[in-house]
Amino acid sequence: MIEKDPIKRVLYIDLTKKKFWIEERPELFSEFIGGTGVAIKLLEENCPPEIHPFSPDNPIIFAIGPLNGVFPIASKTVAMFKSPHTGNLGESHAGGRSALSIRMAGYGAVIIKGKSERPCYISIYSDKVFFRDATTLWGLDEGLSAARLIREREPGAGLRTIIRIGPAGEKLISYACATLETYRHFGRLGLGAVFGSKNLKAVLIAGKRNLPVTDFKEYKQIYIELVKQLRESEKMKKYHELGTPANILPLSFSKGLPVKNLLTNEMQGVENISGELFAAKHLGRRVACAHCPVACVHLAALRKPYEDEPYFYRTIYLSYDYELIYALGSMLGISDSVDILKLIEIVEDMGVDAMSTGVALAWMTEAFQKGIITEKHTEEISPQWGNAEGYIEIVKKIVYSEGEFYKDLGKGVDYVSEKYGGKDFALIYGKNEMPGYHTGPAAHIGYLFGARHSHLDSAGYSIDTKSMTKSITAEQLVENILEEEQWRQIISSLVICFFGREVYTQKMILKCLKLSGYELNDKDLLRIGREIYANKYKFKVNCGFNLENVNLPKRVFEIPSSIGLINKDFTDRAIALLKEKIKSLL
């Protein structure tokens, strides 16, 4: 690490005492690089595993890495906390301007603890922290943006980020998200609810400074080479043109797109929700995270009529991607792109995670059809596949209703299926709701054992895709999952967007780290990745996560995946092997 690099500085903020201080932790960033690697160590230090996720002692940790602000597409921030959704490791990544702002403010990590006695937001301007009253921002009417009001109050637009919550976070919905720069999110595992439990409405971070490198001439050459590769990559071209919605048609064709709570893999009218259709009919513009030449964030323009004046419309922009079209589209039997955008709008307004919300709505619909829940539970609403207007009302109920059932649904599918029944079709993995890939055993086992129970942990769908042309053994599947997830700990410690992982090869990462003052080799990277992965799992286990209590949902064995029906004997063998491998690391 370069001695003058401020990456080693950690900002501590105590909301209870309205105090802040800065500590230099060079040993942490030297040993664990940054991002995920540093965040999990700070979580160990600051979060007693036995506490409730809504305890003031549950820290919110934002961490970045040495490549942020220096190299292209190193644009992500890692958020870590104890999750109110799963009760163990909460980890979520987001881009926007967050990483650049933290870097420019002069920190490698920010830790927020305590609880404000009244709603507040924090403004961080380099070495100064201000505690602002947010009483008037709490409980804003639907459609009003706290970020917009904060932007008007705070000077210095430009290199800053505003991370804020919506009504769902204030109401402690366990899968509430935190939104930044309007179109980016810390989506999964309930960071928004942890904000809400601290009476914390938003965090603004801003700064401006120069960053050091060891050899500017070599830095310039590598920077140009990286930008060239990122711009010319065929995969990046796909992300720019259609984005991840380009996967809708191929996954539907291969039977990997879940439909109607995975009651089927046949989506009628799938061409009406394809990436190509969204681009042709709705694409208004593309935007990029700070320091990214790809611009993969696709914004749909949705025209909405004013109620009090005919032929007069306002246009709103909504970000969309594959996971949103899956969770709020195919999973609910919705084949109209405008209906999906309307659902995305209400999910944005409420501030809930789209994936968990969509899977919760899908479980509710099937439970209603099977008579497990009735109109008595749903307050006279009848959820029906394809009925977007009904689902919009239900999302509002999840956030605002005082009824017992909706309060329970706001705790996730694991909670409601345990209380009301319907476990057989509850699509949950370690208490987290299913991502949108029913491609085969690697995808599902990856969700089940991934440290964050995300499709991003090990990209099992990619392993399934390769196994379509060349079959693999259970042993090979387990090795592939572990190898990929442990390597991704390095990517998310730097913190590079996963879209750039094929450009940032091991060799390229070592070159970049050398320019940031790190003298590491191939073996060092693999060792550090393995250690970070083990640290995350140790935290989960200390919080009560039990490897022996996790199982795949029964439904995934009933509907053919991209590689056909999933063989339970094969998955049982792989799961047993994976458990032993993980235990050996603890």
Side-chain angles (χ1 to χ4, degrees):
M1 179 190 316
I2 298 172
E3 188 177 352
K4 293 181 180 178
D5 194 332
I7 190 79
K8 59 183 175 290
R9 300 199 324 156
V10 178
L11 173 64
Y12 293 79
I13 299 173
D14 186 330
L15 288 171
T16 305
K17 299 177 180 176
K18 300 290 189 294
K19 288 175 54 180
F20 69 94
W21 66 97
I22 299 163
E23 294 183 13
E24 295 202 351
R25 301 293 304 274
E27 80 289 355
L28 269 184
F29 287 88
S30 295
E31 193 170 355
F32 298 102
I33 301 176
T36 296
V38 165
I40 186 60
K41 294 303 291 181
L42 291 172
L43 193 66
E44 282 176 17
E45 292 178 8
N46 292 276
C47 183
E50 70 279 4
I51 62 166
H52 191 280
F54 293 150
S55 163
D57 290 333
N58 186 12
I60 295 170
I61 298 166
F62 296 113
I64 59 168
L67 270 53
N68 292 123
V70 183
F71 291 99
I73 214 171
S75 55
K76 295 280 187 176
T77 298
V78 171
M80 213 170 269
F81 48 96
K82 185 172 184 180
S83 167
H85 199 52
T86 63
N88 55 73
L89 178 68
E91 180 184 352
S92 189
H93 302 180
R97 293 189 295 274
S98 57
L100 193 62
S101 299
I102 294 170
R103 195 80 162 104
M104 292 296 107
Y107 303 106
V110 178
I111 303 175
I112 303 168
K113 293 187 71 172
K115 178 178 180 179
S116 174
E117 62 183 5
R118 62 174 62 90
C120 75
Y121 73 90
I122 302 168
S123 294
I124 302 168
Y125 292 97
S126 295
D127 286 351
K128 296 180 179 177
V129 178
F130 301 93
F131 299 87
R132 315 285 202 198
D133 185 274
T135 305
T136 57
L137 302 178
W138 205 261
L140 285 174
D141 291 338
E142 189 180 321
L144 285 177
S145 167
R148 181 180 302 171
L149 298 173
I150 292 171
R151 280 200 300 272
E152 292 171 358
R153 289 182 185 182
E154 300 282 344
L159 299 179
R160 72 180 184 189
T161 188
I162 300 175
I163 305 165
R164 47 88 176 174
I165 62 169
E170 297 173 9
K171 298 285 186 179
L172 307 185
I173 304 301
S174 71
Y175 44 94
C177 69
T179 302
L180 55 157
E181 281 72 86
T182 307
Y183 307 116
R184 300 284 82 195
H185 309 84
F186 290 105
R188 309 225 72 187
L189 298 176
L191 178 63
V194 181
F195 265 59
S197 72
K198 297 180 178 301
N199 279 331
L200 179 62
K201 183 67 180 178
V203 177
L204 180 151
I205 306 173
K208 191 175 181 181
R209 68 181 61 235
N210 293 322
L211 297 173
V213 292
T214 56
D215 184 326
F216 187 76
K217 185 178 178 182
E218 187 177 352
Y219 165 68
K220 189 176 175 183
Q221 290 174 345
I222 289 179
Y223 190 97
I224 292 171
E225 181 183 343
L226 280 167
V227 171
K228 183 173 184 291
Q229 286 189 41
L230 289 165
R231 282 181 173 167
E232 295 179 355
S233 158
E234 281 301 314
K235 188 165 281 188
M236 291 302 174
K237 187 180 177 186
K238 182 189 87 169
Y239 289 138
H240 175 74
E241 290 180 347
L242 292 179
T244 54
N247 295 330
I248 290 286
L249 289 181
L251 278 165
S252 178
F253 179 75
S254 70
K255 312 302 181 190
L257 177 67
V259 179
K260 296 181 180 176
N261 205 37
L262 200 53
L263 278 164
T264 176
N265 54 19
E266 299 282 350
M267 180 70 193
Q268 299 298 317
V270 68
E271 64 277 5
N272 296 323
I273 61 170
S274 68
E276 290 80 356
L277 184 286
F278 266 86
K281 189 175 178 182
H282 301 293
L283 182 59
R285 58 192 171 105
R286 300 179 182 90
V287 296
C289 295
H291 218 159
C292 174
V294 179
C296 73
V297 183
H298 289 64
L299 305 183
L302 179 65
R303 295 179 75 211
K304 299 197 71 177
Y306 284 93
E307 293 180 358
D308 54 355
E309 191 168 352
Y311 308 112
F312 194 47
Y313 297 85
R314 64 189 174 97
T315 301
I316 59 173
Y317 288 92
L318 299 161
S319 63
Y320 65 92
D321 62 21
Y322 172 81
E323 294 294 349
L324 271 66
I325 297 173
Y326 142 72
L328 303 175
S330 70
M331 198 62 163
L332 303 177
I334 294 175
S335 58
D336 184 302
S337 58
V338 172
D339 282 347
I340 293 174
L341 290 174
K342 289 178 179 176
L343 262 170
I344 291 175
E345 183 188 18
I346 192 65
V347 163
E348 289 282 2
D349 284 349
M350 294 297 106
V352 283
D353 172 50
M355 274 193 271
S356 288
T357 302
V359 177
L361 295 175
W363 174 89
M364 177 184 173
T365 306
E366 187 169 348
F368 187 83
Q369 290 185 341
K370 285 181 161 59
I372 293 172
I373 58 170
T374 67
E375 289 183 343
K376 182 181 176 183
H377 297 98
T378 63
E379 301 177 13
E380 307 303 321
I381 295 177
S382 301
Q384 297 177 356
W385 303 122
N387 181 4
E389 295 302 323
Y391 288 129
I392 288 171
E393 290 306 308
I394 293 170
V395 173
K396 293 178 183 177
K397 291 279 189 184
I398 290 172
V399 176
Y400 289 121
S401 174
E402 292 298 319
E404 181 180 356
F405 173 74
Y406 287 111
K407 282 183 174 294
D408 291 337
L409 197 58
K411 297 174 183 173
V413 172
D414 181 71
Y415 187 87
V416 284
S417 62
E418 190 70 40
K419 181 171 178 176
Y420 296 89
K423 272 285 183 187
D424 285 352
F425 54 89
L427 295 167
I428 45 176
Y429 302 77
K431 299 186 179 181
N432 201 17
E433 284 75 14
M434 179 184 173
Y437 302 86
H438 180 51
T439 51
H444 292 286
I445 292 172
Y447 310 150
L448 192 64
F449 287 97
R452 357 179 219 159
H453 305 290
S454 163
H455 61 296
L456 298 172
D457 284 321
S458 59
Y461 50 85
S462 179
I463 299 171
D464 288 329
T465 302
K466 291 172 184 170
S467 72
M468 289 180 195
T469 53
K470 184 180 179 182
S471 62
I472 60 173
T473 65
E475 287 78 4
Q476 290 170 325
L477 182 145
V478 167
E479 288 301 324
N480 287 341
I481 285 177
L482 279 175
E483 183 179 326
E484 182 65 24
E485 185 161 1
Q486 290 176 12
W487 174 245
R488 287 185 177 221
Q489 305 313 312
I490 297 299
I491 302 287
S492 58
S493 294
L494 290 170
V495 183
I496 299 167
C497 173
F498 284 158
F499 284 175
R501 64 188 182 278
E502 292 184 7
V503 173
Y504 277 92
T505 60
Q506 203 173 72
K507 185 177 178 182
M508 179 60 78
I509 285 173
L510 288 172
K511 285 182 181 178
C512 294
L513 280 171
K514 187 175 182 181
L515 286 164
S516 299
Y518 287 76
E519 292 289 345
L520 300 173
N521 58 38
D522 293 357
K523 290 182 180 177
D524 291 330
L525 289 183
L526 296 178
R527 174 185 54 76
I528 293 169
R530 188 165 54 247
E531 192 167 346
I532 295 169
Y533 174 75
N535 289 339
K536 288 165 68 171
Y537 242 96
K538 285 174 186 171
F539 182 82
K540 286 173 73 70
V541 170
N542 288 338
C543 289
F545 179 77
N546 189 340
L547 281 165
E548 302 303 329
N549 291 342
V550 294
N551 295 292
L552 288 174
K554 185 180 177 185
R555 175 64 51 81
V556 305
F557 297 103
E558 298 170 343
I559 305 299
S561 69
S562 298
I563 63 166
L565 279 172
I566 295 174
N567 185 309
K568 192 165 187 313
D569 290 339
F570 180 91
T571 58
D572 285 347
R573 167 73 178 153
I575 286 171
L577 286 169
L578 197 45
K579 285 179 180 176
E580 292 308 311
K581 292 277 187 183
I582 293 172
K583 286 177 185 174
S584 71
L585 295 171
L586 302 179

